Amino acid sequence: MANPILHIKTQCSECSLRELCLPVGLHKHDLEQLNSVIRQSRRLKKGDYLFHAGETFVSLFAIRTGFFKTTVGTQDGRDQVTGFFMSGELMGMDGIGNNIYINDAIALEDSEVCELPFARMEDLVKRVPSLQTHFMRLMSREIIRDQNVMMMLGNMRAEERLAAFLLNLSQRLQTRGFAANDFILRMSREEIGSYLGLKLETVSRTLSRFNQEGWISVEHKHIQILQARALKDLVAGCSGKSDVI
Amino acid sequence: MANPILHIKTQCSECSLRELCLPVGLHKHDLEQLNSVIRQSRRLKKGDYLFHAGETFVSLFAIRTGFFKTTVGTQDGRDQVTGFFMSGELMGMDGIGNNIYINDAIALEDSEVCELPFARMEDLVKRVPSLQTHFMRLMSREIIRDQNVMMMLGNMRAEERLAAFLLNLSQRLQTRGFAANDFILRMSREEIGSYLGLKLETVSRTLSRFNQEGWISVEHKHIQILQARALKDLVAGCSGKSDVI
DNA sequence: CGTCTTCTTGAAGGTATTCAAACGATGTGG
DNA sequence: CCACATCGTTTGAATACCTTCAAGAAGACG
């Protein structure tokens, strides 16, 4: 439960993620302004909560390293996973609306995040016009992302959802310089199922089927994509987009 | 196809929707600044497109009167409804991310909208700090709304989705001063189904069942909610929220 | 008034879920 | 280091739910 907090000097302008994270497209001068916003870097261990649903919204968080899920609790005690986040991605934008975090954010592996106090962000945004536009874009893209998930949940069958999910992970990993076709799942079958609106057994069965077809190789959490084409063909005709998530 | 455009003098500061729409919570002075942003009011007839997916993003649109749906086209030619919008609500925020509208926006009845050119909005936001915060809140709430739909699609059964849908409509209508328990559906069964991830037959059957149970009265598009309690009980335990949509 | 669209309802079928059991991996304590 | 408990996963069989196919009824519109 306790989040071990370490104060680490962080500078957007020197961060290896600056081409991927919030600074994308900012000029050097504006970028340096961002440095002043970041309060500190924070380390979390697998299973730690970054923030809880219902807490007062204070900060956005950018992931430096690691992997997170966000979940919303249901009245009957079960959780629904609303998203998976990896390095360079921003969490907490749902909190702006009502000054309360809607989601829990939980580390799925040891992770490190940059904390961006929203009050300071707002302040900076006023002084740096390019950042204002940029930040609105990021929020809009979160909307687009969520709408793509809506389409996935509303239109696709289990096979198609899993295919879209794997392709999306693959693409995001590739963007970060990792292998696109050989990776380790950071989440359990149950978490995948929760995200995709399926039961864990269905996820397991469907992965097994992909494995039998020779489209992927599954060994526990180790996934290899052997025939991306086949997966893409499954998804095509459903959402029209391979960047669903 | 052609959108008949009428130039109507519009003033946020004198609009009856100012407590509901973008101006919510703005001070008088800031409110008057908004007037300068609105290019014109635009009338649409039932079936008219307000904007098309793929078009260059130029403006946000606030609904003065009427009712809209937004849809995303799938590769195989079918549409998925991503939202229903009524007076005081803002459409087009998905366009900010990539300067392209992601959705089609289509009037489901004769409607009137205020056009807010985004370039002017950005400009104004720089000069009016309270509007900046306010606008971010609105975007965040769109994110929350979409995540609630995700939960609905991922967790709920047909009955629960319909119940949540009806309760949400009811609540939004009430907010606008209409009867909460007696209203006309603006959309077809197929459009409801598309939005809820169900087939139109399932929507029809489920409404009939609610009717038989005495929870609602259905006469074609005329809906009366007779036992809101029963509908709420259905939804409870699934999302924990009655403001799903 | 006739045509077209939308809606309702039934029956058959398919897909994902539920229930259940067993396996494997992981981690703990003896 | 091994035995054991636990958690996550796989797989099968039965079931539930929604969809598909089909036909008829009711409004909407010209």
Side-chain angles (χ1 to χ4, degrees):
Chain A
M1 288 298 151
N3 294 317
I5 296 179
L6 279 177
H7 296 258
I8 301 163
K9 190 179 173 195
T10 45
Q11 298 269 327
C12 282
S13 51
E14 293 171 19
C15 179
S16 62
L17 290 172
R18 69 179 176 281
E19 293 304 324
L20 201 63
C21 188
L22 213 140
V24 172
L26 291 187
H27 291 300
K28 192 156 181 293
H29 174 260
D30 300 339
L31 182 57
E32 278 164 4
Q33 303 259 28
L34 251 188
N35 293 335
S36 65
V37 169
I38 298 171
R39 181 143 62 183
Q40 67 215 350
S41 187
R42 190 163 141 189
R43 284 182 196 277
L44 295 97
K45 288 201 291 192
K46 183 175 175 175
D48 284 347
Y49 280 70
L50 178 58
F51 51 77
H52 291 263
E55 277 178 15
T56 301
F57 167 71
V58 180
S59 298
L60 298 167
F61 295 93
I63 305 179
R64 281 170 71 86
T65 62
F67 202 90
F68 285 79
K69 68 171 175 181
T70 54
T71 66
V72 184
T74 58
Q75 269 190 344
D76 56 354
R78 301 192 327 145
D79 283 342
Q80 155 109 0
V81 173
T82 50
F84 294 111
F85 294 84
M86 52 178 79
S87 58
E89 295 177 334
L90 214 54
M91 291 184 293
M93 287 187 284
D94 52 272
I96 298 171
N98 302 308
N99 273 314
I100 276 188
Y101 292 110
I102 301 296
N103 296 284
D104 290 325
I106 303 167
L108 294 182
E109 62 179 7
D110 293 0
S111 301
E112 195 182 332
V113 299
C114 293
E115 180 170 0
L116 304 160
F118 188 62
R120 289 198 213 174
M121 271 289 288
E122 273 188 297
D123 222 51
L124 180 61
V125 160
K126 280 166 199 159
R127 286 180 284 113
V128 184
S130 70
L131 188 60
Q132 183 202 74
T133 303
H134 189 59
F135 187 65
M136 285 184 183
R137 289 229 172 97
L138 285 181
M139 291 194 76
S140 174
R141 286 187 192 142
E142 175 77 23
I143 292 171
I144 295 170
R145 196 186 69 84
D146 288 343
Q147 288 192 0
N148 281 330
V149 177
M150 286 170 54
M151 288 211 35
M152 187 160 69
L153 293 173
N155 267 328
M156 294 187 181
R157 294 174 320 151
E159 284 192 341
E160 300 164 335
R161 294 184 202 182
L162 250 307
F165 173 74
L166 291 175
L167 289 171
N168 176 268
L169 271 189
S170 166
Q171 185 228 307
R172 284 153 80 199
L173 286 167
Q174 190 170 33
T175 302
R176 282 154 185 81
F178 298 109
N181 298 319
D182 190 317
F183 51 85
I184 304 295
L185 293 177
R186 253 61 226 209
M187 70 296 279
S188 70
R189 302 290 192 264
E190 184 169 19
E191 287 163 334
I192 296 172
S194 174
Y195 180 61
L196 297 178
L198 303 169
K199 295 297 163 187
L200 72 95
E201 295 94 329
T202 306
V203 173
S204 178
R205 263 186 260 274
T206 306
L207 288 177
S208 296
R209 208 173 311 140
F210 286 179
N211 190 49
Q212 280 168 11
E213 298 280 355
W215 299 344
I216 66 174
S217 147
V218 187
E219 292 167 29
H220 319 299
K221 296 198 180 296
H222 180 200
I223 301 281
Q224 286 174 283
I225 297 181
L226 305 174
Q227 292 183 237
R229 184 74 262 147
L231 297 179
K232 282 173 189 160
D233 288 347
L234 253 186
V235 178
C238 302
S239 83
K241 312 217 160 192
S242 64
D243 59 328
V244 171
I245 272 202
Chain B
M1 286 297 152
N3 294 317
I5 295 178
L6 279 178
H7 296 257
I8 301 162
K9 191 180 172 195
T10 46
Q11 297 270 325
C12 282
S13 50
E14 293 171 20
C15 178
S16 63
L17 290 172
R18 67 180 178 281
E19 294 302 325
L20 201 65
C21 188
L22 213 141
V24 171
L26 291 187
H27 292 300
K28 191 155 181 293
H29 174 261
D30 299 340
L31 182 55
E32 279 163 4
Q33 304 259 27
L34 252 188
N35 293 335
S36 65
V37 169
I38 297 171
R39 180 144 62 184
Q40 67 215 348
S41 187
R42 188 163 143 189
R43 285 182 196 277
L44 296 95
K45 288 200 292 193
K46 182 174 173 176
D48 284 346
Y49 280 69
L50 178 59
F51 51 77
H52 291 262
E55 277 178 17
T56 301
F57 167 72
V58 180
S59 298
L60 298 167
F61 295 93
I63 304 179
R64 281 170 72 85
T65 63
F67 201 89
F68 285 80
K69 70 171 175 180
T70 53
T71 64
V72 184
T74 58
Q75 269 189 343
D76 56 355
R78 301 190 330 144
D79 283 344
Q80 155 108 359
V81 173
T82 50
F84 295 112
F85 294 83
M86 50 178 79
S87 59
E89 297 178 332
L90 213 55
M91 291 184 292
M93 286 187 285
D94 52 272
I96 299 171
N98 302 307
N99 274 314
I100 275 188
Y101 293 111
I102 301 297
N103 295 285
D104 290 326
I106 302 167
L108 293 182
E109 62 179 5
D110 293 359
S111 303
E112 194 181 334
V113 299
C114 292
E115 180 170 0
L116 306 160
F118 188 62
R120 289 199 214 174
M121 271 288 289
E122 274 188 296
D123 223 49
L124 180 62
V125 160
K126 281 167 199 159
R127 284 181 284 115
V128 185
S130 70
L131 189 61
Q132 181 202 74
T133 303
H134 190 59
F135 187 66
M136 284 184 183
R137 288 228 173 97
L138 286 181
M139 291 194 76
S140 175
R141 286 188 193 140
E142 174 78 23
I143 291 171
I144 294 169
R145 196 186 69 84
D146 289 344
Q147 288 191 0
N148 280 331
V149 177
M150 284 170 54
M151 288 210 35
M152 186 160 70
L153 294 173
N155 267 329
M156 294 187 179
R157 292 173 320 143
E159 283 192 342
E160 300 165 335
R161 294 183 204 184
L162 251 307
F165 174 73
L166 291 175
L167 289 171
N168 176 267
L169 271 188
S170 166
Q171 185 228 307
R172 284 153 80 198
L173 287 167
Q174 189 171 32
T175 302
R176 282 155 185 80
F178 298 109
N181 298 319
D182 190 317
F183 50 86
I184 304 293
L185 293 176
R186 254 59 229 212
M187 69 296 280
S188 69
R189 303 288 192 265
E190 184 169 19
E191 287 163 334
I192 297 173
S194 174
Y195 181 60
L196 298 177
L198 302 169
K199 295 298 161 186
L200 72 96
E201 294 95 329
T202 306
V203 173
S204 178
R205 262 186 261 274
T206 307
L207 288 177
S208 296
R209 207 174 311 142
F210 286 178
N211 190 49
Q212 281 171 7
E213 299 279 355
W215 299 344
I216 67 175
S217 146
V218 187
E219 292 167 27
H220 319 298
K221 295 199 183 293
H222 180 200
I223 301 282
Q224 286 175 283
I225 296 181
L226 305 175
Q227 293 183 239
R229 184 75 263 145
L231 297 180
K232 283 173 188 160
D233 288 347
L234 253 187
V235 178
C238 301
S239 85
K241 312 216 160 193
S242 63
D243 58 328
V244 170
I245 272 201

